[in-house]
Amino acid sequence: MRVVFAGTPEPAVPSLRRLLESARHEVVAVVTRPDAVAGRGRKVTRSPVGLLADEHGIPVFTPRRPSEPEFVARLTELAPDCCPVVAYGALLPQQVLDIPRFGWINLHFSLLPAWRGAAPVQAAIDAGDEITGASTFQIEAGLDTGPVFGMVTEKITVTDTAGTLLERLADSGSRLLEATLDGVEDGSLQAVPQSTDGVSYAPKVGVEVGHVRWDLPALAISRRIRAVTPAPGAWTEVGGTRLKLGPVELVEEELPERVIEVRKSGVFVGTATTAVRLDQVQPQGKRMMAALDWARGARLQPGAVVE
């Protein structure tokens, strides 16, 4: 099939790479979000998907809105058979959905209808799910409501962060997406309507979601921190200064809620249940470091607390 691939961040790259290497499908163009300012240097940067397309000499479209007449006209002129989508990041109007004869097929990183929305991987970890996965489905007007072509499953380990889990799902999902396109092309695969049971939503995760609530149980805190790692990141405040946190370790002892205790064996913080041991932390303006190194440099007073 002639396909136009739509995607933006790093998790979409394995799918684009697999389609570029496919003997059955030809990527004739790529759609991605416009170049954006990123990094400490605040440089205008191409999206990871756009960079890969550039490396292979594939035309790249970066409409601010997919409804822009110029983009609609160019897509119509290309007349793709199908448009696979992985984390593109913009809503597609019906006039655009109607252009390819096989429509737009999305790779979504959850087992639909669970965790529809922008942050399914983060939501699954935060909720304590033991199993998640990826789904391919036909895009329609609703939010991730279209009929499903196929799924793959993935176990969530107790040490998984959103980053490590998404990396695995991006890989297995790329194989699912290619197989879906194969089946759609030869007519061997039909989409099945989603169940009306088990519907849940995963809205976009903002910076404030990463602010750790120490009045929660230790297990819930650990899940939340892993869910927002690496982005947008977990954080707390100590003495009015923000401190970014890496994943924490659960320990079988109690401390007063929010109290920091520094020992030779590590830095511990009290929660609503048992304490947690901090591992890597990042003070404002500095690099990630061992929590003990930070605590020694910070010269914490007895009874210091996190906010």
Side-chain angles (χ1 to χ4, degrees), residues 248-307:
V248 297
E249 178 187 350
L250 304 179
V251 295
E252 292 297 327
E253 60 180 284
E254 295 183 7
L255 282 176
E257 194 174 295
R258 300 191 299 113
V259 169
I260 306 171
E261 188 168 300
V262 182
R263 310 173 190 164
K264 290 182 180 179
S265 57
V267 180
F268 301 84
V269 179
T271 76
T273 54
T274 53
V276 297
R277 179 183 181 274
L278 305 186
D279 183 16
Q280 296 287 307
V281 302
Q282 184 177 11
Q284 281 185 305
K286 297 185 179 180
R287 58 175 177 80
M288 272 283 187
M289 63 181 68
L292 262 178
D293 293 338
W294 161 76
R296 292 183 183 120
R299 298 181 179 179
L300 300 174
Q301 297 298 315
V305 297
V306 289
E307 300 289 346

Side-chain angles (χ1 to χ4, degrees), residues 151-216:
M151 293 182 177
V152 291
T153 60
E154 185 75 38
K155 182 178 180 181
I156 302 177
T157 72
V158 295
T159 59
D160 264 328
T161 65
T164 60
L165 180 55
L166 189 53
E167 185 176 354
R168 297 202 306 277
L169 289 171
D171 180 59
S172 60
S174 71
R175 296 192 293 273
L176 172 64
L177 181 61
E178 182 182 29
T180 298
L181 296 184
D182 292 347
V184 168
E185 181 183 35
D186 62 27
S188 63
L189 191 60
Q190 298 295 321
V192 177
Q194 291 186 35
S195 171
T196 56
D197 296 327
V199 176
S200 53
Y201 293 92
K204 185 177 180 179
V205 177
V207 173
E208 280 305 312
V209 175
H211 189 181
V212 176
R213 286 186 50 192
W214 300 101
D215 60 334
L216 294 177

Side-chain angles (χ1 to χ4, degrees), residues 133-144:
S135 310
T136 48
F137 71 94
Q138 191 87 52
I139 295 181
E140 56 181 29
L143 177 64
D144 301 334

Side-chain angles (χ1 to χ4, degrees), residues 114-144:
W115 304 128
R116 295 172 177 171
V121 174
Q122 293 91 332
I125 292 175
D126 195 34
D129 293 353
E130 296 182 354
I131 299 291
T132 188
S135 310
T136 48
F137 71 94
Q138 191 87 52
I139 295 181
E140 56 181 29
L143 177 64
D144 301 334

Side-chain angles (χ1 to χ4, degrees), residues 1-4 19 22-28 79-84 101-103 105 177-178 180-186:
M1 286 195 293
R2 286 167 48 85
V3 303
V4 172
L19 294 180
S22 170
R24 293 185 57 171
H25 309 296
E26 177 190 5
V27 180
V28 297
D81 296 309
C82 185
C83 293
R101 65 189 181 107
F102 290 118
I105 296 177
L177 181 61
E178 182 182 29
T180 298
L181 296 184
D182 292 347
V184 168
E185 181 183 35
D186 62 27

